[in-house]
Structures are given as structure tokens and as C-alpha cells.
Amino acid sequence: MIRITLIGSGNVAQHLIKAFAKSELTEIVQVYSRKKETLSSLIEFDKITSDFEDLKEADLYIIAVSDKAISDVSKQLPFQNRIVVHTSGAASLDVLDSKNRKGVFYPLQTFSKNKDIDFSTVPMCLEAENTFDFRVLETAAKSISNVVYAINSDQRKALHVSAVFVNNFTNHLYQIGQEICEEHQVPFEILRPLIQETAEKINTLNPAEAQTGPAKRCDSLTIEAHLDYLSTQNQKNIYKILTQSIQNNGKKL
Ligand SMILES: NC(=O)c1ccc[n+]([C@@H]2O[C@H](COP(=O)([O-])OP(=O)(O)OC[C@H]3O[C@@H](n4cnc5c(N)ncnc54)[C@H](OP(=O)(O)O)[C@@H]3O)[C@@H](O)[C@H]2O)c1
């Protein structure tokens, strides 16, 4: 049984609390939250603390706070030589204070408090300073997910940047698509099956193989007509840069 203390009460902390609560291999000892009420529906009230000095002994401390607060929080922990990890894709291992044994417990998924997720499918990217600590992280990760990887800080940076492209930028393109539909009074819902199929194709084809459309076909007449039709300079700029990128496919510029 791995005894875990979570620090934070945001999106990731809340999903981790729910996931660990279902596991028989882990026990949540305590959760630190600046506002105790935030977590009152998720865990017994006497397990919530808002005072670092009250933290009890645990096998693993998971800091799931905003990236810019990780370093400060790790410095405030009133103990040493225990395993302390963060959950960030962007922060390096070294943002954690060296008085404890550092690690990373990064769930590569997009989490929102009010959207349930099947945690067993979330890839867990782990990093530790030694084999013993890695095994502790691995046991904790395997208790909630079927997909666990050893990923070092440099590899995690690559994954995080890639995730920005495949998740944040793609989602922003959905938003632009929605704006264009609204501007021309067409229901955005009509595009949902296309969005679904585009994502599903990646399960069987690599992205370059899956690409279709006017840019891939070098159909300059359609491209010019689209650029003419778009109403804002921002939409035109994004259209042009993505068209160029698709047409330069495979070439490193
Ligand atoms: N959301 C995702 O999709 C996702 C996915 C993978 C990894 N991550 C990583 O997971 C971590 C948490 O992200 P999140 O989305 O859960 O963030 P979030 O929902 O914005 O929550 C941030 C948490 O940090 C706490 N916090 C901020 N500053 C603090 C400080 N100075 N001292 C103590 N607590 C502080 C907040 O407390 P208050 O509520 O009191 O302000 C809140 O509990 C980040 O490192 C993020 O990069 C996020």
C-alpha cells in the first residue's frame, strides 16, 4: 500500500483524488488545499489541511499546483529526504527543492474539474532520481492507469510542446471554425462527425498519410477563394501559415 499526500485542489488534484480513491493499492493520507471547502465533496474533511506544518508522513507527496507555484510550495514542505513530485509537463525536475527526493508524475491528458475522465487510459509520464523512487512512482501510477512510461525532463518537454500543437492549437482551430460558421449562420454541429473522424484516423494512419484538403492537393484556386472569403486578418494569417506548412511537409525549414 502506497500512502500518498496530494498538494493542490485544482483540475489535476481533483482527478487524482478520485482516481486514487478507487485504487486498493494506494491510500490518500491527506490533501493540502489553501481553501479546504473546495475539496469537501471529494474527501473526508479531516484529511484536508491548509497548513504545511500539519502534513503527516507519507510515501509520496504529489504537488499538483500551478507551474509557477511548484518551486515555492516544495520549499515550504517541512520535511526532507521524502519523495516529492510535481505533475507538470512544462516544469523541469529541478524546480523542486533538493531537500527532498525529486520526481515527476505527469498525466498527459487535458483535465477540467467538471469533466469526468477514464483515468485508466491516461498516459502517466514518470521521472525519478533513482530506481527505488521510480518503482514507488510506477506502483502508484499503475494503480490508476494502464499506460505508464519512463520519460526524462527533455523528453517531457518534447511531449509537452507536441501536446500544445495537437490539443491547444487544434482546439483553437475548432474555435475559429465555430466563429466562421456563426458569422455565416451555419450550425457548427454539422462539422462534429468530421472532427471525430479526423481524430480517429490517427489510430490507424500517421498524420502525414491522413492529410487531405486544398493545401495537400496544391489547389491554388480554392486556396485563393478561401483567403478572399475569410473576414479577419487573423484567420487569413493562420490559413496561410498552415497551408504553407502542409505544402512544405517533411521539409525542415
Ligand atoms: N489541467 C491539465 O489539463 C493538466 C494536465 C497535465 C498536467 N497539468 C499540470 O498539473 C498542475 C496543476 O494544474 P491544474 O490544471 O490542476 O491547475 P489549476 O486547476 O489551475 O489549480 C492550481 C492549484 O494550484 C494552487 N496554487 C496556486 N498557487 C499556489 C501557491 N502559491 N501555494 C499553494 N497552492 C497554490 C491553487 O490553489 P487555489 O485554488 O487556492 O488558488 C490550485 O489548487 C500544473 O503543474 C499543470 O501544468 C495540468
Side-chain angles (χ1 to χ4, degrees), residues 204-239:
T204 49
L205 297 177
N206 81 46
E209 284 170 343
Q211 191 62 259
T212 60
K216 169 83 184 237
R217 292 192 295 272
C218 294
D219 175 354
S220 52
L221 274 180
T222 305
I223 291 167
E224 285 308 318
H226 283 174
L227 284 169
D228 212 36
Y229 187 77
L230 292 171
S231 60
T232 72
Q233 196 54 46
N234 184 49
Q235 289 168 359
K236 290 180 202 276
N237 290 343
I238 292 171
Y239 189 105

Side-chain angles (χ1 to χ4, degrees), residues 25-247:
L25 298 173
T26 54
E27 179 200 348
I28 300 178
V29 177
Q30 255 178 329
V31 182
Y32 169 92
S33 170
R34 290 197 291 200
K35 303 175 212 115
K36 285 185 169 189
E37 320 74 56
T38 317
L39 300 174
S40 54
S41 63
L42 286 181
I43 190 154
E44 300 94 297
F45 204 68
D46 62 355
K47 286 194 173 177
I48 310 170
T49 180
S50 39
D51 182 353
F52 287 119
E53 295 298 328
D54 273 350
L55 288 178
K56 297 184 181 131
E57 188 160 358
D59 302 314
L60 172 61
Y61 296 80
I62 301 178
I63 301 180
V65 302
S66 324
D67 286 1
K68 62 180 185 319
I70 296 171
S71 171
D72 189 45
V73 165
S74 76
K75 285 194 186 99
Q76 291 188 62
L77 298 178
F79 48 74
Q80 54 191 25
N81 200 28
R82 298 186 192 169
I83 309 176
V84 175
V85 300
H86 68 65
T87 59
S88 171
S92 90
L93 191 71
D94 296 325
V95 300
L96 293 165
D97 193 296
S98 303
K99 69 186 173 194
N100 281 299
R101 284 138 59 200
K102 299 174 277 192
V104 179
F105 197 80
Y106 170 46
L108 205 171
Q109 185 48 282
T110 171
F111 297 97
S112 300
K113 281 172 209 162
N114 302 323
K115 169 82 174 65
D116 278 340
I117 211 148
D118 174 6
F119 219 103
S120 68
T121 64
V122 175
M124 295 299 304
C125 303
L126 311 180
E127 183 175 10
E129 292 182 301
N130 61 59
T131 311
F132 177 85
D133 293 353
F134 186 83
R135 294 287 167 240
V136 173
L137 299 189
E138 190 179 43
T139 307
K142 284 186 172 169
S143 78
I144 55 174
S145 169
N146 298 326
V147 206
V148 177
Y149 296 95
I151 296 289
N152 66 32
S153 286
D154 190 54
Q155 292 170 315
R156 196 173 56 258
K157 208 177 280 179
L159 282 172
H160 193 246
V161 177
S162 298
V164 168
F165 276 91
V166 304
N167 171 27
N168 307 140
F169 290 172
T170 305
N171 192 62
H172 185 66
L173 296 178
Y174 297 158
Q175 193 186 328
I176 293 176
Q178 186 173 31
E179 283 163 11
I180 295 168
C181 284
E182 279 171 7
E183 201 182 327
H184 298 276
Q185 292 85 46
V186 197
F188 177 66
E189 282 63 39
I190 298 176
L191 292 168
R192 286 194 204 279
L194 175 65
I195 292 171
Q196 201 70 40
E197 175 63 11
T198 308
E200 269 167 24
K201 263 187 178 181
I202 299 306
N203 292 325
T204 49
L205 297 177
N206 81 46
E209 284 170 343
Q211 191 62 259
T212 60
K216 169 83 184 237
R217 292 192 295 272
C218 294
D219 175 354
S220 52
L221 274 180
T222 305
I223 291 167
E224 285 308 318
H226 283 174
L227 284 169
D228 212 36
Y229 187 77
L230 292 171
S231 60
T232 72
Q233 196 54 46
N234 184 49
Q235 289 168 359
K236 290 180 202 276
N237 290 343
I238 292 171
Y239 189 105
K240 276 189 210 160
I241 204 157
L242 290 177
T243 295
Q244 201 173 42
S245 181
I246 292 169
Q247 292 182 339

